[in-house]
Amino acid sequence: MFNFNYYTPTKVVFGKNTVEQVGELVKQYGGTKVLIHYGGQSAIKSGLVDRVKASLEAAGIGHVELGGVVPNPHLSKVYEGIELSKQEGVDFLLPVGGGSVIDSAKAIAYGLAEPEFDVWDLYAHTRIPRASLPLGAVLTIAAAGSEMSDSSVITNEKTGQKRGCNSDLCRAKFAIMDPELTMTLPDYQTMSGCVDIMMHTMERYFTQGEVPDITDAISEGLLKAVMKHARILHDDPNNYNSRAEVMWASSISHNGLTGCGHQGSDWSSHRIEHELGGMFDVTHGAGLAAVWPSWASYVYKDCLGRFVKFAKDVMGVDPEEVVKMQASKPANAQLVEAETDNSLSRDELVALAGIDAMEEFFRSIDMPVNMRELGIEPTEEQIRELALGCEAAVGGKVGSAKVLQLADIEAIYRMAL
């Protein structure tokens, strides 16, 4: 087990009707004037914003509102939030929504704490944050895990750059999580969220070096639970228990727990998808599903032990069955390719079967497994631009399962077509 720091200061208030506690929680953490930040009209039409305002008013806390956050949240909205909050004397941020709204609020909190600087500098990585205003969160989408993470991702819509900033300064003081608030989500958004949750753990799972048994047990259990409950929600979107399982998994998957004690995380799939989000404004979880099979097929030989373990312990692949299938008629495209290469070992065949099983899971919940299914077909010029943008964002290389450089990133984009 490698040395690690694990810091998760966010207070979680989980369950039905917990939004009624928001006023007292804001008061507990020193807020006197709140910016209620949200996305579209659903938060208003559902009555959720009114419930939040009523709780704040009952606690004697002033508030001002700013809606309009979009998926892949825009820098222009962050600037708007900073200016409004300055004018109104805001001292506490309260995002009501999912990861995009929370990320936007985190960026506003950074900008308000250091008003003499351009907040985009943090995301362009030309400086690091030194301060942030406090914030809480009322979660309405289980996906990004931003309610307990140190991360915020913002899109500069003028340049098409989607960039992240990580700092413990932006961690939420509290997170209110009521699974009932997620029941009105469209199925596509729910399933995209489930993929995003899984990918936050998978980015930490596929790593070089030893991984503690306890970390693997947590990671593998989380992945299997999310797959189980994603399938349930695909057929029964009002299942409270499955909504609750997925919502809690969202937080656990991205609060650092599934990365404790190993050598380092990968994050290549996220970085590759971020460029797609910046250029094409695709839904993040769906974009991850579209690029992960190609990334996995490209890197698996360099991290073979982890892919074999994933195949057996997460996807339930039986090595003996893989050998039998290979001896008879192949049952999937990955094994068809494998059959033409007599040099592939038993472990490589098992790893490929695990990748194929995950691809089949994505299909089973109507998620894309390539860019065409995602609805985009980048040109050769755009692929080059995507790869160059990714290379610039990561400082030249990224990855742990396999360290990727420009040519590798470009090859994965092409495979994902």
Side-chain angles (χ1 to χ4, degrees):
M1 186 178 293
F2 292 86
N3 293 359
F4 64 89
N5 293 325
Y6 179 57
Y7 181 60
T8 54
T10 303
K11 179 176 183 176
V12 174
V13 183
F14 194 102
K16 297 178 182 180
N17 298 316
T18 47
V19 70
E20 317 302 339
Q21 301 178 42
V22 68
E24 290 303 319
L25 285 164
V26 171
K27 182 185 290 186
Q28 177 183 335
Y29 289 100
T32 62
K33 184 69 175 288
V34 169
L35 175 67
I36 303 172
H37 201 32
Y38 58 92
Q41 290 298 304
S42 61
I44 295 175
K45 291 178 180 178
S46 68
L48 179 56
V49 170
D50 284 341
R51 292 170 67 191
V52 168
K53 290 193 292 187
S55 181
L56 292 172
E57 289 163 4
I61 295 168
H63 54 81
V64 62
E65 301 172 36
L66 178 63
V69 181
V70 296
N72 302 308
H74 289 174
L75 179 62
S76 59
K77 183 60 65 174
V78 172
Y79 288 149
E80 184 182 349
I82 291 170
E83 289 308 309
L84 175 63
S85 297
K86 285 179 182 176
Q87 294 168 13
E88 296 289 339
V90 164
D91 59 12
F92 197 96
L93 282 294
L94 185 65
V96 178
S100 295
V101 176
I102 299 171
D103 283 5
S104 183
K106 287 178 176 180
I108 293 169
Y110 282 139
L112 289 171
E114 298 186 277
E116 67 273 25
F117 298 111
D118 184 349
V119 71
W120 180 249
D121 294 345
L122 304 179
Y123 296 84
H125 300 155
T126 57
R127 66 183 179 90
I128 61 173
R130 301 292 184 187
S132 173
L133 257 65
L135 68 141
V138 178
L139 188 64
T140 64
I141 302 173
S146 191
E147 67 278 0
M148 285 189 76
S149 80
D150 67 350
S151 133
S152 167
V153 180
I154 297 296
T155 297
N156 185 331
E157 66 270 37
K158 289 184 178 179
T159 65
Q161 293 173 302
K162 183 176 177 180
R163 298 289 183 266
C165 176
N166 291 72
S167 168
D168 285 334
L169 293 168
C170 77
R171 289 185 185 269
K173 300 298 184 184
F174 63 83
I176 290 175
M177 293 190 239
D178 179 350
E180 288 189 325
L181 299 179
T182 70
M183 287 184 178
T184 59
L185 293 172
D187 186 64
Y188 186 82
Q189 202 165 4
T190 297
M191 296 303 111
S192 295
C194 288
V195 174
D196 195 10
I197 294 165
M198 293 173 63
M199 286 300 305
H200 286 147
T201 287
M202 289 159 68
E203 296 281 25
R204 295 170 168 98
Y205 187 89
F206 292 106
T207 181
Q208 296 292 343
E210 296 296 320
V211 178
D213 290 344
I214 185 64
T215 299
D216 267 347
I218 293 168
S219 299
E220 291 164 2
L222 185 149
L223 291 170
K224 288 188 284 188
V226 174
M227 285 191 287
K228 171 185 174 180
H229 291 285
R231 291 187 178 105
I232 292 172
L233 290 173
H234 192 45
D235 297 328
D236 181 13
N238 290 325
N239 188 303
Y240 178 85
N241 286 333
S242 289
R243 289 280 178 189
E245 294 268 6
V246 168
M247 180 170 265
W248 185 224
S250 169
S251 297
I252 294 173
S253 190
H254 204 30
N255 71 1
L257 184 62
T258 59
C260 288
H262 65 53
Q263 192 168 356
S265 301
D266 191 90
W267 297 110
S268 299
S269 296
H270 264 77
R271 294 295 196 169
I272 289 168
E273 193 285 328
H274 279 177
E275 299 307 310
L276 293 178
M279 183 179 288
F280 296 104
D281 200 28
V282 298
T283 301
H284 179 53
L288 289 169
V291 301
W292 186 85
S294 295
W295 168 83
S297 298
Y298 190 85
V299 310
Y300 79 95
K301 289 186 180 181
D302 293 80
C303 197
L304 188 58
R306 298 299 291 167
F307 275 91
V308 169
K309 182 171 174 54
F310 175 79
K312 294 191 296 185
D313 295 346
V314 177
M315 302 311 300
V317 171
D318 182 345
E320 298 304 321
E321 289 298 317
V322 171
V323 171
K324 288 178 183 178
M325 274 197 295
Q326 184 67 3
S328 59
K329 183 180 179 180
N332 55 60
Q334 293 287 3
L335 292 179
V336 170
E337 293 178 8
E339 191 180 47
T340 66
D341 188 346
N342 294 326
S343 66
L344 286 179
S345 68
R346 176 190 177 102
D347 278 355
E348 288 168 338
L349 292 172
V350 170
L352 286 171
I355 295 168
D356 187 69
M358 179 54 72
E359 185 173 327
E360 287 304 308
F361 166 73
F362 289 155
R363 289 189 186 279
S364 77
I365 59 170
D366 295 328
M367 284 287 99
V369 296
N370 56 57
M371 289 195 283
R372 285 192 176 92
E373 291 183 9
L374 185 62
I376 59 175
E377 293 189 43
T379 64
E380 188 63 27
E381 182 180 348
Q382 287 174 321
I383 286 175
R384 181 67 175 175
E385 184 180 344
L386 288 165
L388 287 169
C390 185
E391 179 195 38
V394 300
K397 61 183 180 180
V398 64
S400 175
K402 176 182 174 67
V403 177
L404 304 179
Q405 298 184 348
L406 179 62
D408 303 302
I409 297 167
E410 203 166 345
I412 291 169
Y413 279 123
R414 290 196 182 93
M415 287 175 66
L417 278 172

